[in-house]
Structure formats: C-alpha cells, structure tokens
Amino acid sequence: MKNIADTAYLVAMYRALESERADALFHDPYARLLAGGKGAMLVEVLGEKEKITNAIALRTRLIDEQIEKLVQSHEIDTVLNLAAGLDTRPYRLNLPGSLRWVEIDFADILAEKEQKLLQATPVCTLERVKLDITDISERKRLFAEITKNSKQALVITEGLLSYLPEPQVASIAADIYEQSNLNWWLFELESADTLQNYDKIYARKIFDQYFASGNKTLLFAPTEGTSFFKKYGWRVAESLYVWKELRRLKRQVKLAWLVEMLMKLNQTHCETQQQSSIVLLCKTGLLATS
C-alpha cells in the first residue's frame, strides 16, 4: 500500500499545472520541482486531470486569500500549518517578514522539501517540525510551545481532516481550542453528500485503490457540516462555497449555475451540510471576520 502522504506530490503537480495556465488563479514557481516524476505519474494514474486541477486550484486560491486577509487584518504573528506537505505559501504569498510560519509533517517529506528548496528564500520566518500530527502527546506539546511563543496564531489543516476518522478530528479540535493563542483555524470541509455518493465517484475509486488498497480514504464529512465544531468551542467566521467561488473567479464548470440555484432553493439543506467549502473558524470569544 502506498503512503497517503504521497498525495503531497499529487497536489504539488496539480498546482504546477494550474500555474502554467494563462488564466492561472495563482502562481507557484516551485510546484513542478517539488512534484517531480512521482507527482506527474500520479496525475496520470488518477485521471480526470482538468476537473481535479480546477478543484485543487480553487482550494489553493481561497486559502491563499484567507491567509493574506487574516494576517493583515487580525495581527496574526504565527501560522501553524499541520500536514504541510509540499506547500510553498511561505515563499510565494504576500506576508510580512516578521511572521513566524511553522510547517508540521513527516520527517521524510520535510527533508526532501528542504533539500529541493535550498536555493529559495522564504518571505517570512520559516520553521519545520518533523511530527506525526496524530501523536496526541507530541501534538499537545507542540501546540503548547506555539502558544507560549505567539500572541495570535492561525492553524491550517488544508487537505488533512477528510483523511481522519471523526474522533481524531474531534480530538484535534479540542486540542487547538484549549491553547489560548491558537484563535483561528482554516481548512477544507468535504460535504456529506460527497461521502454519501462516494461509490459513484470514479476518481475516488482509483485514488483509494492506489493509496489505500481499495479502502475508503474519505473518512470525515459530517452530516451537520460546520456545526460539528460548535461543541468544541468554535464558531464560523467564514464559509466559502465551492460552486459560488468557482463562478466568482470565472473558473466555470459544467452546470455550475444550476447547482448554485438548487442550493439557494434548498437553503436548509445547504446550511446543514455546507456543501464542499473552505471554512474559517474562530473561538467563540472573538469577532467574526467581515
């Protein structure tokens, strides 16, 4: 069985493909270098290249925008990127030099990343911590250290939560919340509809076969949507619907207008399940972003 961490090469290759478009939603000059031959191979194995590239491009662009906006408007001094993979935001975003950016992931992928980016210079202070984020004691120790040395921190779990069973997500939600300065949390939330229609999605079958010997890799897509996090003290500061944002960014997909119209007509269902979205949470004591 392949390691699910290898998806980092796959995602990097999608970022490279997007960056090479004339109408690219962002530019990542390091993506193809980091993806390497493994990333190129995985893209071909999975298929549906244009569709998945669009999805990864949208996720990347929306998270980019949220990070830059938060850092500028809420005096974020620390960003903690859990399961960072081959992300390059500390090198390519408009960030202040005083910002502390901490990447967390497995030792092998961080070592390879560091080697490939030796000639690149991050725009802010960058640290890398080799850690399995599912190790509860080590995770708590790390969170406590980040809290001690920051005033206002943003946690990012891009592409991580969907691979974790619900009890692990709940544990992470509680662990982040209990730290006084880890006040913001940004991630992608898969829709419950996706989980319910799992067996009909061809690309997911190929993905699961390659990375998990046919076992499901999508484990977290709560039926209650973002309400899942309320019991751990979190509130929604912003939730960006994938279909709506595709239209805003003029990256149209077939029948996107129809899907958006149906979502508006069925507002209760929409609010409950949230659909696939980029979610920004803040602690209940903080004001939501405008």
Side-chain angles (χ1 to χ4, degrees), residues 66-79:
Q66 288 296 309
I67 292 170
E68 291 183 340
K69 183 170 71 171
L70 270 172
V71 169
Q72 293 168 7
S73 63
H74 287 86
E75 299 181 345
I76 302 292
D77 63 352
T78 303
V79 173

Side-chain angles (χ1 to χ4, degrees), residues 13-249:
M13 192 63 205
Y14 289 128
R15 292 201 311 269
L17 293 172
E18 174 65 22
S19 298
E20 292 159 7
R21 289 179 56 135
D23 61 345
L25 298 180
F26 62 86
H27 290 91
D28 185 343
Y30 310 103
R32 188 170 283 275
L33 169 67
L34 291 169
K38 183 182 291 187
M41 180 271 292
L42 289 173
V43 164
E44 297 305 321
V45 167
L46 194 57
E48 299 188 0
K49 186 185 298 186
E50 182 177 0
K51 178 180 178 181
I52 302 175
T53 298
N54 274 338
I56 296 299
L58 179 67
R59 182 180 83 180
T60 303
R61 169 65 178 266
L62 295 179
I63 291 178
D64 285 358
E65 290 178 346
Q66 288 296 309
I67 292 170
E68 291 183 340
K69 183 170 71 171
L70 270 172
V71 169
Q72 293 168 7
S73 63
H74 287 86
E75 299 181 345
I76 302 292
D77 63 352
T78 303
V79 173
L80 180 60
N81 191 0
L82 306 181
L86 298 174
D87 174 65
T88 61
R89 289 187 176 93
Y91 296 88
R92 63 178 184 80
L93 291 190
N94 180 23
L95 302 171
S98 59
L99 181 71
R100 179 191 183 195
W101 190 289
V102 185
E103 296 184 335
I104 315 298
D105 215 319
F106 295 116
D108 54 349
I109 198 159
L110 287 184
E112 180 178 349
K113 180 180 183 179
E114 190 166 11
Q115 179 62 35
K116 286 185 174 181
L117 294 178
L118 275 177
Q119 303 306 313
T121 303
V123 299
C124 57
T125 301
L126 176 60
E127 303 171 29
R128 295 189 173 102
V129 178
K130 301 174 178 65
L131 179 73
D132 180 352
I133 198 60
T134 63
D135 184 325
I136 297 175
S137 61
E138 286 299 302
R139 182 175 76 218
K140 285 178 174 288
R141 179 194 58 77
L142 171 69
F143 288 176
E145 186 277 327
I146 295 295
T147 291
K148 182 179 178 181
N149 294 287
S150 65
K151 295 179 180 179
Q152 183 91 254
L154 164 67
V155 179
I156 305 171
T157 51
E158 179 184 14
L160 170 65
L161 300 188
S162 64
Y163 297 131
L164 301 178
E166 187 171 302
Q168 284 193 20
V169 176
S171 178
I172 290 173
D175 287 351
I176 297 174
Y177 189 84
E178 75 177 9
Q179 298 296 329
S180 59
N181 294 335
L182 305 186
N183 292 327
W184 302 88
W185 187 9
L186 181 62
F187 54 86
E188 177 190 28
L189 183 64
E190 289 278 6
S191 72
D193 284 344
T194 300
L195 190 56
Q196 290 169 4
N197 295 298
Y198 200 91
D199 293 335
K200 301 176 184 178
I201 304 174
Y202 175 75
R204 284 205 177 272
K205 292 181 181 180
I206 301 299
F207 185 93
D208 292 350
Q209 188 61 47
Y210 188 86
F211 289 104
S213 299
N215 295 318
K216 288 185 178 180
T217 52
L218 175 56
L219 302 178
F220 182 72
T223 56
E224 66 267 50
T226 55
S227 295
F228 172 87
F229 300 93
K230 288 183 180 179
K231 52 183 169 287
Y232 303 103
W234 295 99
R235 62 177 292 184
V236 176
E238 193 157 6
S239 185
L240 303 172
Y241 296 108
V242 167
W243 291 104
K244 184 176 181 180
E245 295 302 310
L246 278 170
R247 297 192 71 193
R248 175 178 71 87
L249 295 169

